[in-house]
Amino acid sequence: MKGKKRIVVALGGNALGNTLTEQFNAVKSTAKVIVTLIEAGHEVILTHGNGPQVGMIDGAMSALTREDPQQDNTPLSVCVAMSQAYIGYDLQNALREELLNRDISNIPVAAIVTQVRVDPNDPAFLEPSKPIGRFYDKKRADEISRRFGHIMRDDAGRGYRRVVASPMPQEIVEMESIRAIVNSGCVCICCGGGGIPVILEGNHLRGASAVIDKDHASALLAKQLEADILVILTSVEKAALNFGKENEIWLDNMSVKQVKQYASEGHFAAGSMLPKIEAAADFAASNHNRESIITHLNKAKEALNGNTGTHIKL
């Protein structure tokens, strides 16, 4: 890949681990990948998921409410805000340290608490589909469902997780602040967990009980920042047709038209690869010069050089 590019990198929440220690160690590996892209001269904006983390925070706050009746129940939107600060704190420190380790001292890093407006009439509020929290076996999932009323569903064969509403992002509230930070030369971490979901009521922003898909929010962010490339990092090197089956076919390149065809044929799992594919196609469709890449964290540099990953263009 020749020349300086503006790249939005969307990091999966599952790649950050499920505990404080796992996340602290995981961000070190992430920082090495991101700083390598910065060293190559690219302008990088980082977003991240929060599936395990927001579930952990929600569970902890619910436990506190049960133990202390005087404690108010913590809205899911506030849990998303907590996860942004918690993950952003680790990411920005790891990136700063890695930059300094490579004698790069003129590039600051900042995480910004980001709200994203959603439509209160979005049908997603009637059909929860976004997995959050840890994985459980079916017996434990059924118990959680009976005890707390949570909707538990199988997540791509990896186990059962709680699912919540995932409305589509309509507007990034702090967009102008993000743009100013990026244009100043700072590495910006934003739209964590897809953004804090809010509903506009007059001049008031009310938190919504939902978790926005971080890949769709990242596509919106990339379009508004006029990025060249959207990189969606996940647990596999490429997307595939017939994933996990004997006739599995790994995908190197797809047009937006092909993405829509394969998605309609049911090749991509909802709550797993499907939102990544849809978000990647959404960004690629916005301009002939834009490209989306889906790949594994450790393959990001190779994918940007065209040597691996699934590449999607108009």
Side-chain angles (χ1 to χ4, degrees), residues 77 115-120 171 173 195-200 205-208 212:
S77 58
Q115 301 174 95
V116 174
R117 183 178 62 80
V118 298
D119 183 348
E171 176 191 6
V173 178
I196 303 164
V198 293
I199 293 169
L200 184 62
L205 292 170
R206 176 174 62 84
I212 301 167

Side-chain angles (χ1 to χ4, degrees), residues 83-94:
S83 75
Q84 283 191 358
Y86 155 51
I87 297 169
Y89 163 65
D90 274 351
L91 278 173
Q92 69 182 14
N93 282 342

Side-chain angles (χ1 to χ4, degrees), residues 10-258:
L11 178 69
N14 290 326
L16 296 170
N18 294 290
T19 67
L20 290 168
T21 302
E22 285 180 8
Q23 179 169 299
F24 181 78
N25 292 327
V27 295
K28 293 182 179 180
S29 299
T30 300
K32 292 181 186 300
V33 172
I34 300 303
V35 173
T36 295
L37 301 182
I38 295 169
E39 270 191 323
H42 303 303
E43 192 176 44
V44 178
I45 301 94
L46 189 63
T47 69
H48 60 82
N50 69 344
Q53 295 81 8
V54 75
M56 176 182 69
I57 293 168
D58 180 57
M61 300 309 291
S62 295
L64 176 62
T65 302
R66 291 193 297 273
E67 291 175 7
D68 183 356
Q70 294 184 346
Q71 291 287 343
D72 294 332
N73 185 50
T74 305
L76 189 54
S77 58
V78 175
C79 294
V80 174
M82 291 179 176
S83 75
Q84 283 191 358
Y86 155 51
I87 297 169
Y89 163 65
D90 274 351
L91 278 173
Q92 69 182 14
N93 282 342
L95 286 166
R96 176 184 176 276
E97 183 176 341
E98 186 62 27
L99 285 163
L100 292 175
N101 286 345
R102 301 193 198 188
D103 296 322
I104 303 172
S105 59
N106 62 339
I107 299 180
V109 184
I112 180 168
V113 174
T114 314
Q115 301 174 95
V116 174
R117 183 178 62 80
V118 298
D119 183 348
N121 297 315
D122 192 307
F125 284 108
L126 301 176
E127 299 179 7
S129 63
K130 179 67 176 175
I132 65 170
R134 58 176 295 188
F135 292 89
Y136 298 95
D137 60 27
K138 191 174 189 310
K139 181 179 179 181
R140 178 62 175 147
D142 288 343
E143 180 184 339
I144 291 170
S145 181
R146 286 193 302 271
R147 186 173 179 184
F148 302 113
H150 293 172
I151 299 173
M152 308 293 289
R153 290 182 187 159
D154 177 72
D155 186 352
R158 296 175 293 180
Y160 287 79
R161 300 173 75 187
R162 180 188 176 189
V163 293
V164 298
S166 183
M168 289 295 290
Q170 302 296 320
E171 176 191 6
I172 299 170
V173 178
E174 286 76 23
M175 191 64 237
E176 291 311 310
S177 297
I178 292 169
R179 195 188 314 278
I181 290 171
V182 171
N183 289 342
S184 75
C186 180
V187 177
C188 185
I189 303 164
C190 57
C191 294
I196 303 164
V198 293
I199 293 169
L200 184 62
E201 297 177 338
N203 289 328
H204 175 66
L205 292 170
R206 176 174 62 84
S209 183
V211 173
I212 301 167
D213 181 82
K214 73 97 175 41
D215 297 310
H216 284 297
S218 299
L220 177 60
L221 174 73
K223 286 189 288 186
Q224 295 196 349
L225 284 176
E226 298 183 346
D228 301 295
I229 302 172
L230 170 63
V231 179
I232 297 176
L233 300 177
T234 184
S235 59
V236 292
E237 190 170 337
K238 300 176 184 179
L241 302 180
N242 309 310
F243 180 70
K245 300 178 181 178
E246 292 184 0
N247 58 341
E248 182 178 74
I249 301 173
W250 296 104
L251 298 165
D252 296 317
N253 297 284
M254 282 191 290
S255 67
V256 171
K257 183 178 180 180
Q258 286 175 314

